[in-house]
């Protein structure tokens, strides 16, 4: 049984959550166009999530996905964190700024956020998805009791097995091509670096759960290929960054439309976890200075501060410009127009 069928989508496509880029307006436009829109609440608290859910529901009565971060609590390593801030000091100085005096944990994991669970049980979004890991059994049981369809990002068969054992309804097979943060449960474990289509086929054959292909898919032919490999849907993120409903800033949009899109880089330097980004000043620096990065999301506190200081100086090369390997295929279209184009391309494929 394919649980995605219960959502009554006219197109088997999910707009990736993309914290920092997706918006209620984007999610609603995608859902209204017949696919599944998503909002990301991992970077906010329960009050912020409530506002985002309400803003999305004000724009659509269709299902949408609410995405959460379920990362392990970060280690606080004072010596390593001070060394990291010292290494970043010249970058801050070049922007007429100073680094933070210390790092902080800017995002709370859903695993340790009972207020977020209470909110989700109360508001009952049709779809809830997890990135970086899995919640506890009691959280999963509460969400299922609330009628939520549960998705989890996985990057290998072992993670898929854990998701199945935990009661997850469908897997988001995140290939190495995907933009943004790797969904690895343990970012320090060896990464098999499985590509989207290899991972999709592996999970379709071995995981005993419906599979949603994610990573590098930008158009209708890509969606059709994922379905032909056995996926029940495809998840696209980078394809939506250039949409007017996206909250990507001008520097991010310009970089996406530039030769930087041809050279995405996997980096820990920006946030503390592996993530695929458009090549920029920060990723270049990270290739030479990223040996002992503080844990996510503590490193991200410094990364965000550096980007904010640089933007004041008119420098956009230190942003978290996450993008997948399909970035050169991005199109500047409204979200609903992109859904229409992808639908037509699928018919022609």
């Amino acid at each position: 049984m394919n649980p995605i069928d219960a959502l009554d989508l006219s197109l088997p496509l999910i707009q990736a959550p993309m914290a920092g880029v997706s918006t209620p307006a984007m999610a609603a436009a995608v859902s209204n166009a017949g696919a599944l829109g998503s909002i990301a609440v991992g970077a906010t608290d329960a009050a912020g999530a409530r506002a985002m859910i309400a803003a999305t529901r004000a724009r659509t009565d269709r299902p949408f996905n609410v995405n959460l971060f379920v990362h392990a609590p970060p280690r606080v390593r004072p010596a390593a964190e001070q060394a990291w801030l010292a290494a970043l000091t010249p970058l801050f100085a070049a922007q007429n700024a100073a680094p933070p005096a210390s790092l902080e944990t800017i995002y709370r994991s859903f695993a340790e956020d009972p207020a977020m669970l209470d909110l989700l049980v109360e508001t009952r979004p049709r779809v809830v998805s997890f990135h970086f890991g899995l919640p506890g059994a009691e959280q999963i049981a509460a969400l299922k009791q609330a009628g939520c369809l549960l998705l989890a990002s996985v990057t290998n068969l072992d993670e898929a097995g854990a998701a199945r054992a935990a009661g997850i309804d469908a897997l988001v097979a995140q290939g190495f091509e995907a933009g943004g943060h790797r969904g690895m449960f343990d970012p320090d474990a060896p990464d098999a670096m499985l590509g989207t289509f290899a991972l999709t086929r592996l999970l379709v054959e071995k995981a005993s759960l419906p599979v949603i292909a994610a990573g590098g898919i930008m158009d209708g032919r890509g969606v059709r290929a994922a379905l032909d490999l056995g996926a029940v849907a495809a998840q696209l993120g980078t394809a939506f960054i250039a949409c007017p409903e996206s909250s990507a800033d001008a520097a991010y949009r310009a970089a996406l439309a530039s030769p930087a899109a041809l050279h995405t880089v996997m980096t820990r330097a920006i946030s503390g976890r592996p993530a695929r980004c458009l090549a920029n000043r920060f990723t270049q620096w990270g290739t030479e200075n990223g040996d002992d990065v503080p844990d996510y999301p503590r490193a991200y506190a410094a990364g965000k501060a550096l980007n904010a200081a640089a933007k004041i100086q008119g420098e956009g090369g230190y942003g978290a410009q996450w993008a997948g390997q399909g970035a050169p295929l991005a199109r500047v279209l409204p979200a609903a127009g992109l859904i229409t184009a992808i639908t037509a391309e699928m018919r022609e494929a």
Side-chain angles (χ1 to χ4, degrees):
M1 179 180 175
N2 174 12
I4 302 298
D5 287 345
L7 301 176
D8 192 28
L9 305 180
S10 59
L11 179 68
L13 183 152
I14 300 171
Q15 164 245 313
M18 299 184 295
V21 171
S22 66
T23 62
M26 174 187 286
V30 170
S31 291
N32 286 335
L36 184 69
S38 301
I39 54 173
V41 303
T44 188
D45 59 12
R50 180 184 296 279
M52 293 176 69
I53 290 170
T56 308
R57 283 185 167 156
R59 293 168 170 84
T60 184
D61 58 3
R62 298 281 301 157
F64 59 90
N65 168 37
V66 177
N67 180 256
L68 300 141
F69 297 155
V70 198
H71 50 282
R75 299 166 296 171
V76 178
R77 299 183 294 146
E81 291 180 0
Q82 287 302 313
W84 184 248
L85 289 169
L88 287 169
T89 296
L91 299 184
F92 277 91
Q95 307 305 324
N96 297 320
S102 61
L103 298 180
E104 59 180 318
T105 302
I106 57 174
Y107 300 155
R108 191 176 189 183
S109 173
F110 177 60
E112 299 184 314
D113 195 346
M116 187 70 80
L117 177 62
D118 290 345
L119 169 70
L120 294 173
V121 170
E122 174 194 340
T123 56
R124 298 173 178 259
R126 289 289 301 279
V127 184
V128 173
S129 62
F130 309 116
H131 204 57
F132 299 145
L134 301 168
E138 292 184 2
Q139 290 174 300
I140 287 177
L143 291 170
K144 282 184 165 290
Q145 182 65 30
C148 305
L149 175 70
L150 304 183
L151 314 179
S153 296
V154 299
T155 65
N156 58 49
L157 187 57
D158 287 343
E159 292 172 350
R164 183 173 183 269
I168 296 300
D169 296 305
L171 305 171
V172 178
Q174 189 198 38
F176 196 63
E177 303 97 320
H181 286 98
R182 293 285 282 154
M184 300 168 65
F185 292 6
D186 180 358
D188 295 321
D191 189 347
M193 302 183 188
L194 293 169
T196 300
F197 284 178
L199 178 61
T200 295
R201 280 302 300 154
L202 176 65
L203 297 185
V204 166
E205 290 297 318
K206 302 288 187 180
S208 302
L209 279 178
V211 177
I212 298 156
I217 304 171
M218 298 292 289
D219 56 22
R221 288 185 178 274
V223 175
R224 174 57 62 197
L227 299 180
D228 287 346
L229 290 173
V232 299
Q235 180 170 287
L236 283 65
T238 306
F240 287 92
I241 294 172
C243 294
E245 297 91 345
S246 150
S247 61
D249 63 21
Y252 195 168
R253 293 173 187 273
L256 184 64
S258 79
L262 298 167
H263 304 287
T264 59
V265 178
M266 193 70 73
T267 182
R268 281 181 183 253
I270 296 175
S271 74
R273 284 189 74 114
R276 186 171 295 283
C277 186
L278 298 173
N280 63 18
R281 292 181 181 273
F282 209 156
T283 66
Q284 183 179 1
W285 180 88
T287 60
E288 302 170 358
N289 298 274
D291 292 336
D292 190 18
V293 186
D295 284 7
Y296 174 93
R298 294 180 68 82
Y300 215 174
K304 288 178 177 293
L306 176 58
N307 182 45
K311 287 174 71 172
I312 291 172
Q313 303 299 318
E315 169 58 67
Y318 290 97
Q321 295 164 344
W322 309 133
Q325 290 181 342
L329 299 175
R331 292 173 277 188
V332 182
L333 288 172
L338 182 58
I339 297 298
T340 299
I342 290 171
T343 301
E345 291 160 356
M346 288 182 65
R347 293 194 186 106
E348 296 167 1

